[in-house]
Amino acid sequence: MPAKTKHNKDMVTTDADASDHTDSQDPDNRCLEGAEVSSDEGSETIADSAPISKKAELAEEDIGKKINQMRLDKGYSQRKLARMAGLTNTAISSIERNKVSPAINTLKAILQVLDSDLTTFFSDEWKERKPRVVVTPQDLLELSEPNSRVSLKQVYNCSTTKNLGFLIETYQPNSATEEKITHEGEEIGTVIEGKIVIRIEDSTYLLSKGDSYVIDTSHPHTFINPTDSITRIVSAHTPTTY
């Protein structure tokens, strides 16, 4: 089923080269104020694998919430964590949303990428951050690589229960995202400066300042700035998969 768009411009064709924009390295600690210590301890088996601790309490252990916070504290997108851990983006998304419980080997692989281990993960050393109300420019989480010509800054307030992601995007002249991005959910955005070409499977759309789009992000898509000027977009997506 084709993706929906809210303001589709004339169909255009462009051969602009795509440049990767995966993710950044560790940001500074943004949410240490008001940190609370989690007292839950792991206590069950995970996905019928070897036991972590006592069985009675793991049902209360929010594995997905911990992984989500640890990933964002590292400044990694779900795609980057999935790639480094040898998993799919869908798998990481499902684990973070507690739709599935990871097997022990899977959890070990994830924690290794996040510079942690099972003992620390299921101990009171893990601290849940206190969500912010105000997110300053310095608190924005850059998800692109340092050398990328596409900047994707996530409005990250340290909440582990949020259902909406929000990005402030900047595309340098003649730049693009990686080819054929896919992730579950829906994305809505508005061009606030410049122009952007959106390729969705076999369709191509040109949007100018003031135009908005609505897309099903499970369809492969690429964003391209084919102009000699900077393009800026603000976008929201749900779930918080990226």
Side-chain angles (χ1 to χ4, degrees):
M1 182 175 182
K4 297 180 181 178
T5 57
K6 188 174 284 187
H7 294 277
N8 295 345
K9 293 292 185 181
D10 294 334
M11 304 290 281
V12 300
T13 302
T14 177
D15 292 321
D17 292 331
S19 61
D20 291 343
H21 74 295
T22 47
D23 324 281
S24 66
Q25 297 302 318
D26 306 39
D28 296 333
N29 292 330
R30 293 174 170 80
C31 308
L32 293 180
E33 286 186 50
E36 298 177 359
V37 177
S38 170
S39 61
D40 294 339
E41 292 187 1
S43 57
E44 152 102 75
T45 60
I46 299 180
D48 298 323
S49 297
I52 294 294
S53 184
K54 290 191 271 179
K55 189 173 183 178
E57 296 180 31
L58 187 57
E60 300 177 5
E61 189 72 58
D62 197 337
I63 294 174
K65 180 170 68 175
K66 285 188 175 184
I67 292 174
N68 174 266
Q69 179 177 299
M70 293 170 68
R71 172 178 66 80
L72 292 174
D73 284 349
K74 291 286 288 183
Y76 293 169
S77 72
Q78 288 183 342
R79 293 204 311 283
K80 182 170 185 176
L81 175 57
R83 185 177 68 251
M84 296 177 71
L87 302 170
T88 65
N89 184 61
T90 300
I92 295 296
S93 175
S94 297
I95 291 169
E96 287 193 358
R97 297 168 65 197
N98 289 312
K99 284 189 170 183
V100 299
S101 295
I104 289 295
N105 288 341
T106 298
L107 183 57
K108 283 182 177 179
I110 292 172
L111 294 179
Q112 184 175 14
V113 172
L114 298 175
D115 297 325
S116 186
D117 54 44
L118 292 174
T119 300
T120 302
F121 188 77
F122 289 103
S123 75
D124 60 5
E125 293 181 34
W126 180 82
K127 296 179 180 180
E128 182 176 350
R129 312 301 192 216
K130 183 177 180 180
R132 294 176 180 271
V133 173
V134 176
V135 181
T136 68
Q138 293 74 28
D139 297 323
L140 296 174
L141 190 65
E142 177 60 70
L143 296 180
S144 296
E145 297 288 358
N147 60 349
S148 175
R149 302 185 69 243
V150 175
S151 171
L152 301 174
K153 293 185 181 294
Q154 186 176 61
V155 180
Y156 173 47
N157 75 332
C158 305
S159 171
T160 56
T161 59
K162 60 186 176 65
N163 297 310
L164 181 67
F166 189 84
L167 293 176
I168 300 173
E169 309 176 27
T170 303
Y171 296 77
Q172 295 299 320
N174 300 297
S175 64
T177 63
E178 61 192 87
E179 288 283 356
K180 298 180 180 179
I181 300 170
T182 58
H183 51 95
E184 63 178 324
E186 182 180 48
E187 180 177 329
I188 298 175
T190 299
V191 180
I192 59 175
E193 180 181 343
K195 296 184 178 184
I196 199 75
V197 168
I198 306 178
R199 287 179 178 167
I200 306 172
E201 295 184 316
D202 296 328
S203 300
T204 306
Y205 306 89
L206 174 64
L207 286 77
S208 300
K209 179 179 177 180
D211 290 335
S212 299
Y213 62 89
V214 181
I215 63 175
D216 178 347
T217 52
S218 65
H219 296 284
H221 55 282
T222 306
F223 286 71
I224 304 164
N225 176 10
T227 73
D228 294 328
S229 302
I230 289 178
T231 294
R232 302 184 197 278
I233 297 174
V234 290
S235 66
H237 54 276
T238 186
T240 56
T241 305
Y242 193 85

